[in-house]
Amino acid sequence: MLEQNRNNHKLTIDARGVTIKFGTFTAVNQVSLTVSQGEVFGLLGPNGSGKTTLIRGLCGLLPLAEGAATVLGQDVATSAESVRTHIGYMSQKFSLYEDLTAQENMDFYSGIYGLTPREAKERQDDLVDMSGLGPYLERRAGRLSGGWKQRLALVCALLHQPKLIFLDEPTAGIDPVARRDLWNLLFRLSAEGISLVVTTHYMDEAERCARVGYIYMANLLAIGTPHDLKQMPGVTPPGTRWLEIFSHDSAALLEELRQRPGVRQATIFGQSVHALVDEDQNAATLGLDEKHVLETEPSLEDVFVTISRAQGMAAK
Amino acid sequence: MTNRFSAQRTYSVARKEFLHIIRDPATLFFSLFIPVFELFMLGYAIDTNVRYIRTVVFDAANTKDSEDLLRAFENSQDFRIVRQVYSETDLSQAIVAGKARVGIIIPENFSRNLEAGRTATIKVVVDGSESSIATAAIGDSNAITLRESLKRIFGERQVPMDVSPQILFNPDTRSANFFIPGLMVVMCQMMAIMLSANAIVREKENGTLEQLFMTPVRAGELILGKLIPYLVLTFVEFCTILLLMRIVFQVEIAGHVQTLLALTLPFVFTMLGLGLWISTQVGTREAAGQMAMGTMMPSIFLSGYVFPLDSMPAFFWYVAQIFPTTWLIDAARGVILRGAGIAELWVHSVVLWSMGIAMFTLAMLKFHKRLT
C-alpha cells in the first residue's frame, strides 16, 4: 500500500484499462489515463461516447468490469466513499435546489460534507469572496441567472476543499462572458494545486486544457497536450498537408473542394475551410487565389474528426 | 470513519427537506386543508342512518283506521308523508319523478277486512334504486304494521315478548363516530404516500439526486433525513383531525390516545416506504402521483372506511386484509369507540409493524440498487 501511495502521490487519477459495462453494452472500453496534481484535463467526445460514464466510474458510482483506477491515492473499487469525500462534482445541469436560497444551498452541502459550523462559515466566506456571490446570498437559486447559478454550483462543489473536481459540461448554455469568468476561476483553482477534469464540446475550451483526452464510442482514441494531438501521424498522414482557405462563401467552397480528387477531407472553420490535401496540391492546382490559401496545422476539431473517421472505418 | 452513519448528514437532509415544505405553501395548504374540509363534510353532511324517507300516500279506504296507521308511520320518524294522491298511477309517477322514495297504498276494503277479522293488507311500493333506503323502508314498514297489529290483538294487555336494545360505544349511532376514525387513517395514508413519493422524484427531475450520489451521503441517511419531516407532518395532521373530532364533533375517545399514536407509527412508516418504492419506479412527479392514486383507491374502497367489511364476499374480505389501512382503521375505531387497548389490539400492532418493516426494506433495497 505504502509503495503504491508513494508512486502515485503526484497522480490525482491513475486509471488503467478501465472498462464499464451496462449488461452486454460496453460504455467505456479499456480506458487508461492519468491526471496530475493541479492539471486541467479536458475530456472530449460526442454525446453518448462515455464521458459521463467514465466520470461516474472514477467516482466509484459504477463498478468497473475490468481494470482498476486509483483516485487521490485510493482504489475507487474499495474506497468509493472515502474518495467521494475528497472530490467535487458539478453535473451537467447545475443541480441546485431552486426553491432554496444561495445561502441555504451552501449550508446544505456544507452539512452533507460534514463541515463543522465554523469550518463551513470560513469556507463559505472565502468562496463567496472568490466568486463574487455576496449580493445574491439571500436570493433563491431558481431566480439567479445562468452564470450565477453555475458559480453557486461550483461554490457548492468546492466547500469541502476537494483536491479533484469533475465538471461535466460546466459551460453548456452559458453566455460567453460567464464562460470566460468561469475559466478564470478554474485556472485559479488549478494554481492552488487542485486537479480539474472538464468535459466540454467547445474547442476553444479544449485548447485551454493542459491535456485532453478524446473518447469516441467508448474508446479513448487520443490523449495528450493539444499540441501533441495535432502532431499525431494519423491526423496528417504521410504525403498530405493541411490548408486553410479563406472565402466569402465558405459553404460553396466546401462543396467545390469535396469534388476534387486531391482533397481528402474538408470542413468549415469559421470564415475559412480546413482541408486535408495531397502534398502536391496547392493554390494553383486547386484553382484558388494564392492570397487566400495558407498552410496550417490541424485544429483540434480536425484532429477529432479525422481520428473518429479512421476509427469508424476500422470498425467496418 | 466516513463509512459510519452520520447524524449530521441526516440532519442536513432533514433541514433541507423542511425548507422545501415551507417554501411550497400551496402543497402544505392543500395537504392540511383538504383533510379538514373532508372532515367537516363527512361530519356534518353525511348521515348513513335512514330517516324521514319521503313518502307518497294513496289512501283509498280513507277511514279512521287508515288515518291511524298513517299517523303511526309518520310518528315513527322513519317516514315523512310529502304528498297525497288519489290513484295508483299518480303514486307511481311520483316515485318515477323522484318526488318520493316510498308509496303506501291502503286499499278500499282495509277497514272492512279489519272488522271482519281478515288480514288487511296494505301495499308498500319502494324505489329500489337506492338500496340502503329500500332496505330500511321495508324493515321499518314491517315493524310499524306489526306493532299496530299487536296493539289490536292485545289492546291494553302486555305483549308477551319485547326487545330492549342497547347500543354500545356509539349510542346515538352517529355517522361521524364511524367515519372520522377511518378518515384520519385514509388522510394520513394519502399524505404520507404523496409526500414521500414526491420527495425523491423531485430530486430526480431536477438532477440533484445525481449530484447527491457524488457526495458522501449514504442512502440510509438520505432516506431517513427526507422522511423525518414528512413523518412529523403526517402526525401533525393526524393529531389535528383527532382534535377536531374530539372538540368539534364531540366524539369521545374511549381508549388511550397514545395507543392510537403507537399503532399509527408503523402505519405511516409503511406508507412512507410505499411512497419511496413508487419513487424508485418512476421518473416524474406526474407518474408518481398516478401510481400513488392507483395504490390508494383499492385500499380506500376495501379498507372498511366507507363500506363495511363484514358484508363483503369472502374473497374481497381476504384481499382487504392485505392493506395496512384495513388494520389501522379497525384499530382506530377500536381505540376511539370501543376503548380497546394494546391487550386487544396486539395482533394489529404485530401486523402493522411487519408490514412497515417489509415495505421499508423492499423500498430501501430498490433504492440501493438504483444507486449502484
Side-chain angles (χ1 to χ4, degrees), chain A residues 52 55-56 59-63 81-82 84-85 87-101 104 107-117 140 153 157 168, chain B residues 2-4 6 8-17 19-25 202-218 221-222 226 371-372:
Chain A
T52 303
I55 289 179
R56 289 190 180 170
C59 294
L61 273 180
L62 295 169
E81 281 193 58
S82 167
R84 260 179 260 158
T85 53
I87 58 177
Y89 174 76
M90 197 172 129
S91 66
Q92 288 172 349
K93 300 188 280 175
F94 320 118
S95 311
L96 297 160
Y97 296 100
E98 304 219 324
D99 52 338
L100 267 53
T101 64
E104 286 162 349
D107 288 342
F108 172 64
Y109 282 106
S110 302
I112 285 291
Y113 280 106
L115 270 61
T116 64
R140 296 203 183 164
D168 202 354
Chain B
T2 51
N3 293 346
R4 289 264 185 81
S6 156
Q8 186 193 358
R9 290 197 290 252
T10 312
Y11 168 76
S12 294
V13 176
R15 187 168 167 276
K16 171 188 81 77
E17 216 61 29
L19 286 172
H20 286 316
I21 296 173
I22 58 171
R23 287 295 149 75
D24 186 7
R202 190 177 48 215
E203 298 229 11
K204 260 193 207 175
E205 274 187 346
N206 296 343
T208 43
L209 197 61
E210 187 194 355
Q211 183 83 40
L212 281 181
F213 287 165
M214 293 290 185
T215 71
V217 76
R218 303 178 71 208
E221 295 161 354
L222 187 63
K226 274 184 169 295
L371 246 177
T372 47

Side-chain angles (χ1 to χ4, degrees), chain A residues 116-161:
Chain A
T116 64
R118 227 176 96 193
E119 285 170 342
K121 173 94 176 61
E122 278 175 21
R123 192 67 189 147
Q124 287 178 7
D125 286 350
D126 284 356
L127 289 169
V128 166
D129 264 1
M130 183 187 85
S131 63
L133 265 172
Y136 303 106
L137 288 180
E138 296 310 317
R139 195 178 286 190
R140 296 203 183 164
R143 304 175 97 184
L144 293 172
S145 70
W148 286 110
K149 271 188 200 172
Q150 169 216 48
R151 285 188 202 202
L152 176 59
L154 184 64
V155 164
C156 288
L158 288 170
L159 284 164
H160 58 298
Q161 297 192 281

Side-chain angles (χ1 to χ4, degrees), chain A residues 20 27-29 31 33 41-59 62 89 92 166-169 197-202 213-220, chain B residues 214:
Chain A
I20 298 172
V28 173
N29 187 29
V31 169
L33 61 82
F41 185 89
L43 205 49
L44 286 96
N47 289 330
S49 56
K51 299 183 304 261
T52 303
T53 307
L54 176 62
I55 289 179
R56 289 190 180 170
L58 292 176
C59 294
L62 295 169
Y89 174 76
Q92 288 172 349
F166 291 102
L167 300 109
D168 202 354
E169 292 184 26
V197 175
V198 185
T199 74
T200 179
H201 286 301
Y202 297 107
Y214 181 72
I215 297 189
Y216 182 74
M217 290 169 72
N219 293 288
L220 184 69
Chain B
M214 293 290 185

